[in-house]
C-alpha cells in the first residue's frame, strides 16, 4: 500500500467515524466538505472550477424549469452546454488542436499566430462535466426536477467516491439518495466490503502488476520486439486497463455503500462479451449509456435507415474516443469500435438472441476479446506511427523470449484467478453470488485477496489510468 493510499483510507475512516453520528443535513455537509478536501488534495486551485460549474448548472437548471415557453428553455440549456463544453475543451483539447494547427500552417509555409499553452488537466474533469451536463439535459427533458438546495446539488456533483473517475451518475438515481435520510444496515457493510476487496484485487494484484510489463513493451522500440512480445504486451494492457478502471469503480461502489449510497455497476465482465454491442453493455457502462442517451439517440439513433445508423454509430464512437483524450490514437480507437459496431449491425445482428452452443459461445468470446485487444493497441500507443509499427511487428514470426515467458507467467498467476471467478459469476443467476455463499468459502476468498494484495505487490505503484481523463 502506498502512502497516498494509506492517507485516503485514514481520511475515509475519520469521515466515516463521524458521519453516522450526525443527522441527515449534517451528513450532507460533512460529505460535501470531505469531497472538496479530497479533490483539493490533488490541486486546490481547481476547486474553484468545480464550484463554478456547479453554481452555473444549478442556477441555469432552475431558470430553465421556471420557463413556460420552449424557446427560453432551449436558450438556458444551450448556455449550460456551451459553458461546460468550453471549459472541458479549453483544459483538455486546446493544447492539442493548437499544436496540430501550428504544424499544419508551418507545413504549408505560413506562420502560426495561435499561442500554445501548457495547460494542466484538472483530474476527473471529463467525468463531472458529463455528470452535470446530464443533469441540465434531464431537467430540460422533464425527467428530473431541479435541485432546490445548492449544497445538495454540489454534493451530487462532487461526491468523492466517484468524483474523479466515475461512474457517471444520473441525477434521477443519485440526487434522491442525497435528499433522502440514510440508514445504516449490516448488509451495506457486507456489500461494501465485497466491492472494496474485489476492487483492490483488480487494481493492486492485476492492474499494477500488468503495468510494469506493459510499460516495458510499449517503451521498447518496435523493431526490438518479437510478435509474441507485442501480442502479450497488448493482452497485458487489456487486463491492466480493465483491472485499473473496474477496480476503481468497484472500490467507489464499496465506499459509497458504507456511506449509505448505491452507485451503478460500471463493469459487468466485459471480456466475456459475445459481440461489440454486448461489450459496450458491459464496459464503462455509465459512459456508454451517456453516449447512447445524450448523443446517439439525439442524432437519430437507428431511426433513419441503415446508412444514417452507421453514421450515428461512427460519430458517437469517434466522440467517445475523443472524450478519452486529445490524441489521434484515441480517435483511431473510437473509429475502430465504431466500425466494429457497424460491421456487427451489418453482418452479425441477425444472429443476436439466438441460443448458442457452449463451443460457439466460447469461439465468439475469443474472437471478440481479440477484436477489443486490437483496439487497445491504438489506445495504449503514444502515437499513431508507434501503433502502426507495433501492428506490423505482429505479422512477424513469433519467437519465445524471456520477456514473453515472464509476461505469460505473470498473467496466468495474476489474471487467471480473476477470469476464473468472473466465469463462475457469469454462470450464476445472481450478480453477487459470493455474498450468498457459505461463510467458509467467502472467508477463504477474502483471505486469498488479502494475502495476494500484501504478498504480491507490484514492483512500482501505478496511479489510476482514468485519472488523466
Amino acid at each position: 500500500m502506498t502512502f497516498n493510499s494509506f492517507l485516503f483510507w485514514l481520511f475515509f475512516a475519520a469521515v466515516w467515524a463521524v458521519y453516522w453520528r450526525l443527522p441527515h443535513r449534517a451528513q450532507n455537509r460533512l460529505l460535501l466538505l470531505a469531497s472538496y478536501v479530497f479533490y483539493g488534495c490533488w490541486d486546490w486551485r481547481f476547486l474553484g472550477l468545480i464550484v463554478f460549474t456547479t453554481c452555473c448548472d444549478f442556477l441555469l437548471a432552475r431558470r430553465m424549469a421556471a420557463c413556460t415557453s420552449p424557446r427560453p428553455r432551449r436558450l438556458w440549456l444551450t448556455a449550460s452546454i456551451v459553458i461546460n463544453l468550453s471549459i472541458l475543451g479549453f483544459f483538455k483539447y486546446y493544447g492539442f488542436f493548437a499544436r496540430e494547427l501550428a504544424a499544419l500552417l508551418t507545413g504549408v509555409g505560413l506562420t502560426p499566430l495561435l499561442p500554445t499553452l501548457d495547460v494542466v488537466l484538472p483530474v476527473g474533469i471529463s467525468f463531472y462535466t458529463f455528470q452535470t451536463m446530464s443533469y441540465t439535459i434531464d431537467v430540460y427533458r422533464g425527467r428530473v426536477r431541479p435541485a432546490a438546495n445548492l449544497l445538495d446539488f454540489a454534493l451530487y456533483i462532487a461526491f468523492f467516491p466517484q468524483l474523479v473517475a466515475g461512474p457517471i451518475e444520473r441525477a434521477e438515481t443519485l440526487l434522491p439518495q442525497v435528499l433522502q435520510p440514510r440508514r445504516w444496515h449490516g448488509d451495506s457493510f457486507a456489500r461494501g466490503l465485497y466491492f472494496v476487496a474485489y476492487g483492490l484485487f483488480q487494481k493492486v494484484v492485476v492492474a499494477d502488476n500488468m503495468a510494469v510489463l506493459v510499460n516495458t513493451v510499449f517503451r521498447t522500440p518496435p523493431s526490438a520486439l518479437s510478435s509474441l512480445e507485442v501480442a502479450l504486451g497488448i493482452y497485458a494492457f487489456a487486463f491492466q486497463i480493465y483491472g485499473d478502471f473496474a477496480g476503481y469503480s468497484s472500490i467507489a461502489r464499496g465506499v459509497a455503500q458504507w456511506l449509505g449510497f448505491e452507485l451503478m455497476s460500471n463493469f459487468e465482465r466485459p471480456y466475456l462479451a459475445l459481440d461489440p454491442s454486448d461489450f459496450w453493455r458491459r464496459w464503462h457502462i455509465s459512459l456508454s449509456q451517456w453516449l447512447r442517451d445524450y448523443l446517439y439517440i439525439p442524432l437519430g439513433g437507428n431511426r433513419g435507415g441503415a446508412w444514417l445508423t452507421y453514421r450515428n454509430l461512427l460519430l458517437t464512437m469517434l466522440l467517445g474516443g475523443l472524450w478519452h483524450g486529445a490524441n489521434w490514437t484515441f480517435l483511431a480507437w473510437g473509429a475502430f469500435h465504431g466500425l466494429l459496431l457497424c460491421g456487427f449491425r451489418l453482418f452479425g445482428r441477425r444472429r443476436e438472441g439466438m441460443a448458442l452452443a457452449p463451443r460457439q459461445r466460447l469461439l465468439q468470446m475469443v474472437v471478440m476479446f481479440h477484436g477489443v485487444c486490437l483496439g487497445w493497441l491504438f489506445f495504449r500507443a503514444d502515437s499513431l506511427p508507434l501503433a502502426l509499427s507495433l501492428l506490423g511487428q505482429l505479422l512477424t514470426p513469433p519467437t519465445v523470449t524471456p520477456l514473453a515467458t515472464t509476461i505469460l507467467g505473470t498473467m496466468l498467476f495474476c489474471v487467471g484467478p480473476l477470469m476464473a471467478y468472473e466465469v463462475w459469476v457469469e454462470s450464476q443467476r445472481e450478480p453477487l453470488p459470493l455474498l450468498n455463499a457459505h461463510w467458509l468459502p467467502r472467508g477463504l476468498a477474502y483471505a486469498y485477496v488479502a494475502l495476494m494484495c500484501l504478498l504480491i505487490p507490484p514492483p512500482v505503484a501505478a496511479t489510476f489510468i482514468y485519472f488523466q481523463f
Side-chain angles (χ1 to χ4, degrees), residues 55-100:
C55 292
C56 279
D57 285 320
F58 174 79
L59 295 172
L60 291 171
R62 291 186 62 81
R63 294 299 298 268
M64 193 189 311
C67 295
T68 55
S69 57
R71 189 166 183 270
R73 284 171 57 83
R74 284 195 297 271
L75 288 175
W76 292 122
L77 175 63
T78 302
S80 170
I81 292 174
V82 168
I83 290 171
N84 281 289
L85 291 183
S86 297
I87 293 173
L88 182 63
F90 173 75
F91 281 98
K92 195 162 187 176
Y93 305 108
Y94 175 83
F96 171 73
F97 286 111
R99 288 192 299 271
E100 293 298 316

Side-chain angles (χ1 to χ4, degrees), residues 297-326:
I297 292 176
L299 282 172
N302 56 6
R303 300 188 300 272
W307 290 109
L308 287 179
T309 299
Y310 300 148
R311 181 206 67 178
N312 296 339
L313 285 170
L314 281 171
L315 283 175
T316 300
M317 294 312 300
L318 279 170
L319 291 173
L322 188 62
W323 176 89
H324 284 83

Side-chain angles (χ1 to χ4, degrees), residues 99-423:
R99 288 192 299 271
E100 293 298 316
L101 180 59
L104 178 63
L105 292 176
T106 302
V108 297
L110 299 177
T111 302
L113 300 178
L114 192 65
T116 56
L117 303 174
D118 188 13
V119 180
V120 177
L121 181 66
V123 66
I125 187 172
S126 297
F127 290 92
Y128 72 72
T129 298
F130 270 32
Q131 185 156 310
T132 191
M133 283 177 63
S134 72
Y135 165 77
T136 53
I137 294 171
D138 284 348
V139 170
Y140 174 80
R141 293 175 174 176
R143 295 191 58 174
V144 298
R145 295 175 60 85
N149 185 285
L150 176 59
L151 296 183
D152 289 337
F153 178 68
L155 178 57
Y156 157 68
I157 298 299
F159 185 49
F160 75 87
Q162 49 87 225
L163 171 60
V164 294
I168 304 167
E169 289 287 339
R170 306 289 180 88
E172 61 185 332
T173 56
L174 184 56
L175 193 53
Q177 297 182 66
V178 172
L179 300 177
Q180 296 166 4
R182 296 171 288 278
R183 297 288 183 266
W184 172 253
H185 300 286
D187 288 346
S188 296
F189 178 80
R191 287 170 60 87
L193 179 62
Y194 169 82
F195 287 130
V196 169
Y198 188 38
L200 285 173
F201 184 88
Q202 289 177 300
K203 169 59 178 171
V204 177
V205 177
V206 176
D208 286 359
N209 279 296
M210 293 300 103
V212 178
L213 306 173
V214 171
N215 292 338
T216 300
V217 171
F218 280 85
R219 291 172 183 171
T220 301
S223 59
L225 296 168
S226 70
S227 59
L228 186 59
E229 290 171 336
V230 174
L232 290 172
I234 296 170
Y235 296 152
F237 178 70
F239 290 109
Q240 180 200 354
I241 193 169
Y242 173 48
D244 193 279
F245 194 16
Y248 180 94
S249 296
S250 185
I251 293 170
R253 290 185 74 190
V255 170
Q257 282 279 329
W258 287 337
L259 295 170
F261 290 83
E262 180 73 47
L263 300 183
M264 69 177 294
S265 175
N266 211 18
F267 290 86
E268 294 289 345
R269 303 168 297 283
Y271 291 148
L272 302 181
L274 299 176
D275 55 63
S277 293
D278 190 25
F279 176 77
W280 285 105
R281 286 191 290 265
R282 296 167 176 262
W283 178 273
H284 201 171
I285 299 169
S286 62
L287 176 63
S288 61
Q289 290 181 353
W290 198 101
L291 293 172
R292 179 197 65 196
D293 295 342
Y294 301 112
L295 186 59
Y296 176 69
I297 292 176
L299 282 172
N302 56 6
R303 300 188 300 272
W307 290 109
L308 287 179
T309 299
Y310 300 148
R311 181 206 67 178
N312 296 339
L313 285 170
L314 281 171
L315 283 175
T316 300
M317 294 312 300
L318 279 170
L319 291 173
L322 188 62
W323 176 89
H324 284 83
N327 196 320
W328 293 111
T329 55
F330 294 124
L331 282 172
W333 175 79
F336 176 79
H337 274 280
L339 291 172
L340 281 183
L341 288 166
C342 291
F344 170 69
R345 191 171 187 86
L346 180 62
F347 299 109
R349 194 69 180 271
R350 69 193 69 165
R351 296 191 298 272
E352 194 175 28
M354 295 176 58
L356 297 174
R359 190 174 299 177
Q360 290 176 302
R361 290 180 62 86
L362 179 60
L363 178 61
Q364 284 193 212
M365 284 181 191
V366 171
V367 171
M368 187 61 219
F369 173 72
H370 282 83
V372 170
C373 285
L374 189 58
W376 287 138
L377 169 61
F378 292 93
F379 192 97
R380 175 56 180 83
D382 294 331
S383 65
L384 277 179
L386 176 59
L388 295 175
S389 296
L390 290 169
L391 189 60
Q393 284 300 109
L394 282 174
L395 304 177
T396 62
T399 304
V400 178
T401 64
L403 176 59
T405 304
T406 300
I407 296 175
L408 181 59
T410 307
M411 287 179 61
L412 290 173
F413 184 76
C414 295
V415 178
L418 172 67
M419 294 309 297
Y421 174 74
E422 294 204 344
V423 169

